[in-house]
Amino acid sequence: MQRNATYDFTSRVNHWVIAAVMIGMLGFGLYLAYGELPRDERGDLIAIHKSIGVLALGFGLWRVLWRVARGFPAAVAGMPAWQERASKVAHWALLGSVLLMPLSGVVASLFRGRPVEVFGWFTIPAQAEVTWLASLGSGIHQFAGYALVALVVIHIAAALKHHVYDRDPTLKRMLSSASLARGIGDNRQGSDGIKL
């Protein structure tokens, strides 16, 4: 895996697109769960939620594979080791949730005997009902959703802390590659021994 000083253009686009989709879908899901909607209106919205979820799963798979192939940039200079470790755990948890959330939703639907139609473009056919698997998918979808809300809040808070309090380029390198030459990894070496 590469150890870059900053995120490349594709990584930045992937990050912001999947962030917008996942945050939007979390809000959408909470609205479906707690919005006290009429049954027919809720059914139509659930169909849209499922369609977006399948597309999010496809894009999320691309996002995760790209990140694994590219690796993560080295931490900024002066970051405490515990923060670097916590950052890695949080990033992997976020990447895992990008796949787990839509996949668990699809599994819950399919193994409840319900097909998933994606905007009329194609349909993932229903499977034979497997109650325990549908319940597992549903439970994971629900509780992973709450965990993802917490992770997103922590991720945003940490990014703002680095930007406002620490005044380091952690957030800037996800906004632009222009921060490449300023303060990232000064006098540090990556895991491959190359000075960054």
Side-chain angles (χ1 to χ4, degrees), residues 51-69:
S51 292
I52 297 171
V54 170
L55 299 181
L57 178 59
F59 187 79
L61 184 60
W62 156 253
R63 159 120 176 84
V64 171
L65 291 174
W66 182 263
R67 179 51 39 226
V68 168

Side-chain angles (χ1 to χ4, degrees), residues 124-137:
I124 304 173
Q127 303 300 303
E129 286 193 49
V130 181
T131 305
W132 71 266
L133 190 53
S135 296
L136 179 64

Side-chain angles (χ1 to χ4, degrees), residues 126-192:
Q127 303 300 303
E129 286 193 49
V130 181
T131 305
W132 71 266
L133 190 53
S135 296
L136 179 64
S138 183
I140 289 172
H141 197 67
Q142 179 181 358
F143 292 109
Y146 296 132
L148 182 55
V149 168
L151 273 172
V152 167
V153 169
I154 290 167
H155 185 64
I156 292 170
L160 292 174
K161 179 252 186 195
H162 279 286
H163 189 70
V164 175
Y165 181 76
D166 297 334
R167 297 186 184 278
D168 66 33
T170 298
L171 176 60
K172 288 180 183 175
R173 65 186 180 173
M174 188 48 84
L175 298 172
S176 168
S177 62
S179 59
L180 243 173
R182 296 192 304 274
I184 298 177
D186 293 343
N187 300 316
R188 289 176 52 115
Q189 290 186 343
S191 58
D192 54 6

Side-chain angles (χ1 to χ4, degrees), residues 22-23 25-35 42 49 93-94 97 100-102 104 137-155:
M22 295 305 286
I23 291 170
M25 287 293 276
L26 284 169
F28 196 174
L30 290 171
Y31 178 62
L32 289 170
Y34 301 108
R42 188 171 185 275
H49 186 76
L94 285 164
S97 69
L100 186 62
M101 283 299 295
S104 60
S138 183
I140 289 172
H141 197 67
Q142 179 181 358
F143 292 109
Y146 296 132
L148 182 55
V149 168
L151 273 172
V152 167
V153 169
I154 290 167
H155 185 64

Side-chain angles (χ1 to χ4, degrees), residues 9-108:
F9 176 77
T10 302
S11 294
R12 293 194 308 274
V13 170
N14 286 349
H15 172 273
W16 291 111
V17 169
I18 206 69
V21 170
M22 295 305 286
I23 291 170
M25 287 293 276
L26 284 169
F28 196 174
L30 290 171
Y31 178 62
L32 289 170
Y34 301 108
E36 298 181 4
L37 301 165
R39 187 177 179 85
D40 57 338
E41 184 180 335
R42 188 171 185 275
D44 292 341
L45 290 176
I46 286 174
I48 294 170
H49 186 76
K50 289 179 183 181
S51 292
I52 297 171
V54 170
L55 299 181
L57 178 59
F59 187 79
L61 184 60
W62 156 253
R63 159 120 176 84
V64 171
L65 291 174
W66 182 263
R67 179 51 39 226
V68 168
R70 298 290 296 174
F72 289 96
V76 297
M79 182 184 290
W82 72 267
Q83 280 188 27
E84 191 170 349
R85 283 192 299 273
S87 171
K88 286 179 183 175
V89 169
H91 279 110
W92 282 113
L94 285 164
L95 286 172
S97 69
V98 163
L99 300 179
L100 186 62
M101 283 299 295
L103 186 59
S104 60
V106 168
V107 165

